């Protein structure tokens, strides 16, 4: 993947962040707990707040094609935990190892920051994503029934965790 670069976003990357985040919500709405409308209505200062969190984006030829974020828990008792958020890889890029590269980049960053437990929620109907996370050592620890409503139907979310130590 020599023509793909993965890097942590800076404030100056706000246009790329907006582009890939809105694309993800538009094209794969069932993968996320929030909607395109939720994000489109955010003021610029909130977009900047979100890009300041660790957000990693894969760029191919300067164009964003994948994203993964990390949300660190707050407080002394929870600082060892972080949640993986906003996971998306453009369909044309899938099957090339890009999601794995994004996850490995995120895990390495988390380790460097003293995180030793990663958590995530995944749509209970997304068998491919569940298998992906299991290959990287995540295991299911619970289920949130009716976590989201999609077209009036209840969708469960699986809670998964991976210990980095």
């Amino acid at each position: 993947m020599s023509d793909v670069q993965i890097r942590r976003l800076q404030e100056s990357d706000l246009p790329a962040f907006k582009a890939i985040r809105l694309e993800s919500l538009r094209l794969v709405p069932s993968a996320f707990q929030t909607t395109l409308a939720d994000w489109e209505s955010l003021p610029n200062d909130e977009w900047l707040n979100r890009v300041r969190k660790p957000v990693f984006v894969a760029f191919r030829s300067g164009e964003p094609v994948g994203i993964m974020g990390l949300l660190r828990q707050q407080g002394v008792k929870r600082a060892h935990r972080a949640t993986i958020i906003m996971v998306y890889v453009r369909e044309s890029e899938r099957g090339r190892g890009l999601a794995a590269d994004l996850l490995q980049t995120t895990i390495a960053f988390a380790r460097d920051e003293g995180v030793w437990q990663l958590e995530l929620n995944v749509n209970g109907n997304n068998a491919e994503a569940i298998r992906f996370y299991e290959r990287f050592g995540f295991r299911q620890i619970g289920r949130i029934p009716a976590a989201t409503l999609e077209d009036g139907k209840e969708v469960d979310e699986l809670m998964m965790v991976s210990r980095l130590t």
Side-chain angles (χ1 to χ4, degrees), residues 48-152:
L48 284 170
N49 284 337
R50 293 178 188 213
V51 82
R52 288 180 190 121
K53 311 276 190 236
V55 176
F56 302 92
V57 168
F59 292 89
R60 179 180 298 281
S61 303
E63 183 180 350
V65 295
I67 186 171
M68 187 173 293
L70 191 66
L71 184 60
R72 183 83 180 255
Q73 296 290 325
Q74 300 297 307
V76 173
K77 290 185 176 184
R78 297 169 26 138
H80 65 287
R81 297 170 51 204
T83 304
I84 292 177
I85 58 173
M86 298 187 293
V87 179
Y88 169 75
V89 172
R90 185 176 285 168
E91 188 172 358
S92 62
E93 300 292 328
R94 294 181 194 158
R96 300 179 182 195
L98 187 53
D101 292 344
L102 277 164
L103 183 57
Q104 289 170 335
T105 298
T106 304
I107 289 170
F109 177 87
R111 278 193 174 114
D112 289 346
E113 293 292 309
V115 171
W116 51 270
Q117 181 167 293
L118 287 178
E119 303 164 8
L120 60 87
N121 290 352
V122 62
N123 181 316
N125 297 329
N126 192 340
E128 184 179 355
I130 294 164
R131 283 191 305 273
F132 169 76
Y133 292 122
E134 288 174 341
R135 283 194 310 272
F136 284 89
F138 284 83
R139 61 183 174 78
Q140 183 180 336
I141 58 166
R143 177 181 291 270
I144 303 169
T148 58
L149 296 175
E150 292 179 27
D151 300 321

Side-chain angles (χ1 to χ4, degrees), residues 2 9 11-12 18 20 26 34 36 44 53 58 64 75 87 90 97 99 103 108 115 130 134 140 142 149 151-153:
S2 60
L9 295 184
E11 288 183 21
S12 60
K18 282 185 172 183
I20 194 66
R26 186 175 56 257
T34 56
L36 180 63
N44 245 16
K53 311 276 190 236
V87 179
R90 185 176 285 168
L103 183 57
V115 171
I130 294 164
E134 288 174 341
Q140 183 180 336
L149 296 175
D151 300 321
K153 295 180 181 172

